[in-house]
Amino acid sequence: MASLETEGPPPLQGHVLMRSSRSFQGRLRTLPSEIGRVQPNFEFEAEEETDLREPYRIPRKLLQNTGVPEPKEALSPLLVFINSRSGGQIGPQLTRVLRQALGAQQVFDLSKHNPERSLKTFYVNVAQAIANNSNEAAKVNQRLRIVAAGGDGTVAWLLKTIHNLDVPITPPVAVMPLGTGNDLARTLRWGKTFQGNTIKDRKGVFELLKRVGRANVDFMDMWKVDLRLELKNGSRTEGADLQTDLPHCLQQAGADAYTGYFWNYVSVGVDAVAAHKFHMLRETHPKCTPSRNVNQMWYALYGLKAMISSRPVNEYLDLYVKDSEGQWLKVELKDNVKGIVLLNLQSYAGGRDLWGKVSSTDNKFKTPSYADGKLEVAGFLGGMHMTAVMGQIGSFHNKRIVQPSAVRLCLKQGERVKKSYLQIDGEPWEQPLPPGEEGELVLEVGLAGQSVVLKAQEEDEPQFGICCPR
């Protein structure tokens, strides 16, 4: 059982962010891994696919009073952002179908269109139209819904983009699951994977869009991550810097500091090792990862290898949580903990519930929610335990440690550990660590607000598959 000490981390005034010969300069990925990845034998060109009506369309104004029924008012105007390179052949097929149904201008292929640029331009156009007294633009602004079609990385990219735009009326986001894990989609009742047979005919496409239109607006906690190098005063030791390949969700926030957001999880240790090994395999040998089932097999193999070779996290990591008075408390970690996961959702790596069901008689831990302002800090233990948890055998779950509102992880080299592995929402990286006498790499997590999302109605859920409850 983890114990709490009223001992904070080394005071910030004793450490300074400073440029030195040991610097922390990351190479930020320009796209989420799932967007930049090219699938083998991928030949689909989304730009060639368009609305079938477009070449033959007559402007609406020219058809007024001709006896043709007037078009109905859009109750749920949609913009779709899709990773056409995900989901095998379903990605290209869904892109084509949606463009034919909604029109090419409302469906953006993320391999070719940056959502930040597209949405910013869209909202500038809307604002100008409203300024010109356009009632239609005002209604679109109030009713707009956005669809993120892809994996968890795609959804997180859209949520981050919308947050950064800071528009007066935040559009809610629905999910069409085209990734491997699809944990955000599972949580919001959009299913574990996209069912290709739902778009084989006109009726299926109509029902698909209706599900988005009648989904309920919900709110999901959004967490801010601050990653920085804190060097002790006067530390100028020569040595290799801490340059590394950082995930797309982070952006530079000053010298030796980066910041970003997450909605699902952050992890350090054994599971991040497995995720990084799989990420490198997929980047360098994409033909070895042709399907979701094969991908999960590779992930399981790397996970078992990592569990055997990984060191306990307490050799290189100190865990602190913030109490109700804003003080940092140190949490002692046992030697059998080989990985730490900070969870917002109760769906991890394809639906695994790492926290497990909390008994009604449990006075220490509460049933988690993705909108309660709390994280679940859980630990991976030995190899057999990790196998049982990831295989969802019986009632096995991760070691429950604490449920805080803010977390600080301080990482430094250990006697046998010179580097660590971390991941944010499925984006892993290898991280060199500074010697303890020089300073620490600090990862701090706190609540940044809530994102507006769409949760599919319960009667729609079986058509998309199994999901996790709120």
Side-chain angles (χ1 to χ4, degrees):
M1 210 173 167
S3 63
L4 293 177
E5 299 179 358
T6 56
E7 171 194 344
L12 291 180
Q13 59 268 28
H15 293 72
V16 292
L17 294 183
M18 55 187 291
R19 302 290 299 183
S20 73
S21 56
R22 187 178 298 281
S23 64
F24 175 33
Q25 292 297 297
R27 299 179 296 272
L28 290 169
R29 298 168 193 161
T30 56
L31 292 171
S33 297
E34 66 182 56
I35 304 292
R37 188 178 308 120
V38 179
Q39 293 189 4
N41 303 320
F42 184 84
E43 299 177 353
F44 173 71
E45 287 293 335
E47 292 292 350
E48 296 179 0
E49 303 298 330
T50 185
D51 184 349
L52 291 178
R53 300 165 295 176
E54 192 169 306
Y56 320 105
R57 192 188 305 274
I58 296 175
R60 291 180 181 178
K61 290 183 179 180
L62 300 182
L63 296 173
Q64 289 179 351
N65 305 318
T66 60
V68 178
E70 291 289 325
K72 294 181 179 180
E73 190 176 79
L75 298 179
S76 298
L78 298 179
L79 288 178
V80 177
F81 292 86
I82 184 168
N83 178 11
S84 64
R85 299 184 175 188
S86 62
Q89 292 303 311
I90 294 179
Q93 181 185 2
L94 181 59
T95 305
R96 183 182 302 112
V97 166
L98 289 173
R99 287 192 163 184
Q100 291 172 352
L102 297 173
Q105 291 184 320
Q106 289 178 232
V107 181
F108 297 85
D109 184 347
L110 289 170
S111 66
K112 303 191 178 196
H113 299 281
N114 186 309
E116 298 160 10
R117 202 160 39 240
S118 299
L119 278 174
K120 184 176 181 179
T121 302
F122 170 80
Y123 274 105
V124 167
N125 294 340
V126 168
Q128 290 175 346
I130 292 175
N132 292 327
N133 299 316
S134 170
N135 186 48
E136 187 177 32
K139 288 182 178 178
V140 167
N141 191 40
Q142 292 173 347
R143 300 172 180 175
L144 179 68
R145 296 186 165 204
I146 288 178
V147 176
D152 290 334
T154 298
V155 182
W157 194 12
L158 263 296
L159 292 174
K160 174 185 172 183
T161 297
I162 293 168
H163 170 75
N164 290 340
L165 283 175
D166 194 26
V167 292
I169 302 177
T170 304
V173 177
V175 184
M176 292 184 184
L178 301 178
T180 300
N182 298 318
D183 292 300
L184 284 160
R186 291 168 186 264
T187 301
L188 296 172
R189 292 202 189 114
W190 296 108
K192 60 182 180 180
T193 187
F194 189 84
Q195 303 296 323
N197 58 4
T198 60
I199 56 173
K200 285 187 176 180
D201 55 35
R202 182 182 178 89
K203 182 180 179 181
V205 177
F206 180 66
E207 287 299 321
L208 172 65
L209 296 176
K210 278 179 64 178
R211 291 185 196 115
V212 176
R214 64 179 175 239
N216 299 316
V217 174
D218 204 354
F219 298 90
M220 177 178 287
D221 289 340
M222 174 178 65
W223 297 88
K224 185 179 181 183
V225 179
D226 289 312
L227 182 65
R228 61 185 181 271
L229 177 64
E230 292 188 352
L231 296 174
K232 294 181 180 178
N233 287 330
S235 176
R236 306 291 292 182
T237 303
E238 294 291 334
D241 64 21
L242 304 183
Q243 184 167 323
T244 188
D245 182 25
L246 292 173
H248 170 265
C249 64
L250 295 176
Q251 61 186 39
Q252 193 148 13
D256 300 330
Y258 296 83
T259 189
Y261 301 96
F262 76 93
W263 288 263
N264 194 348
Y265 65 91
V266 168
S267 69
V268 181
V270 63
D271 71 312
V273 174
H276 185 262
K277 299 297 184 187
F278 174 72
H279 166 75
M280 296 306 297
L281 174 72
R282 190 159 52 178
E283 291 295 305
T284 56
H285 299 90
K287 291 184 178 180
C288 294
T289 58
S291 68
R292 184 173 182 271
N293 289 336
V294 173
N295 293 352
Q296 290 187 335
M297 179 196 71
W298 279 114
Y299 195 96
L301 176 63
Y302 285 130
L304 289 174
K305 286 185 176 181
M307 183 54 73
I308 294 171
S309 60
S310 293
R311 302 298 305 168
V313 295
N314 62 10
E315 291 186 6
Y316 60 90
L317 179 151
D318 291 325
L319 167 64
Y320 299 89
V321 298
K322 189 172 284 188
D323 66 11
S324 58
E325 297 179 356
Q327 300 297 313
W328 289 106
L329 306 177
K330 185 174 182 180
V331 180
E332 292 297 333
L333 298 171
K334 300 211 169 181
D335 293 341
N336 62 347
V337 178
K338 293 194 171 185
I340 290 289
V341 189
L342 315 182
L343 296 163
N344 185 44
L345 309 183
Q346 302 317 302
S347 180
Y348 167 91
R352 276 80 173 181
D353 184 1
L354 299 189
W355 193 254
K357 185 177 180 181
V358 178
S359 169
S360 58
T361 59
D362 192 325
N363 295 321
K364 182 177 181 181
F365 299 111
K366 297 179 180 179
T367 299
S369 164
Y370 56 70
D372 60 0
K374 299 286 185 181
L375 289 167
E376 283 64 56
V377 181
F380 280 108
L381 306 182
M384 292 300 294
H385 176 261
M386 182 176 180
T387 301
V389 171
M390 296 302 287
Q392 296 288 270
I393 299 172
S395 58
F396 279 94
H397 55 77
N398 274 36
K399 171 68 177 177
R400 296 171 184 155
I401 298 176
V402 66
Q403 289 176 294
S405 58
V407 175
R408 178 181 287 173
L409 304 178
C410 300
L411 298 95
K412 55 186 178 295
Q413 288 184 14
E415 184 177 346
R416 304 183 191 180
V417 181
K418 305 302 180 186
K419 62 183 178 182
S420 182
Y421 291 84
L422 300 88
Q423 63 173 330
I424 299 177
D425 278 356
E427 293 276 334
W429 76 96
E430 181 184 78
Q431 179 62 62
L433 300 176
E437 64 272 14
E438 290 188 22
E440 298 174 320
L441 189 70
V442 177
L443 188 151
E444 196 167 303
V445 175
L447 189 64
Q450 290 187 318
S451 295
V452 187
V453 294
L454 287 168
K455 191 170 188 176
Q457 291 197 13
E458 197 167 352
E459 58 266 28
D460 289 333
E461 180 185 342
Q463 300 183 46
F464 274 77
I466 301 171
C467 77
C468 298
R470 175 170 175 164

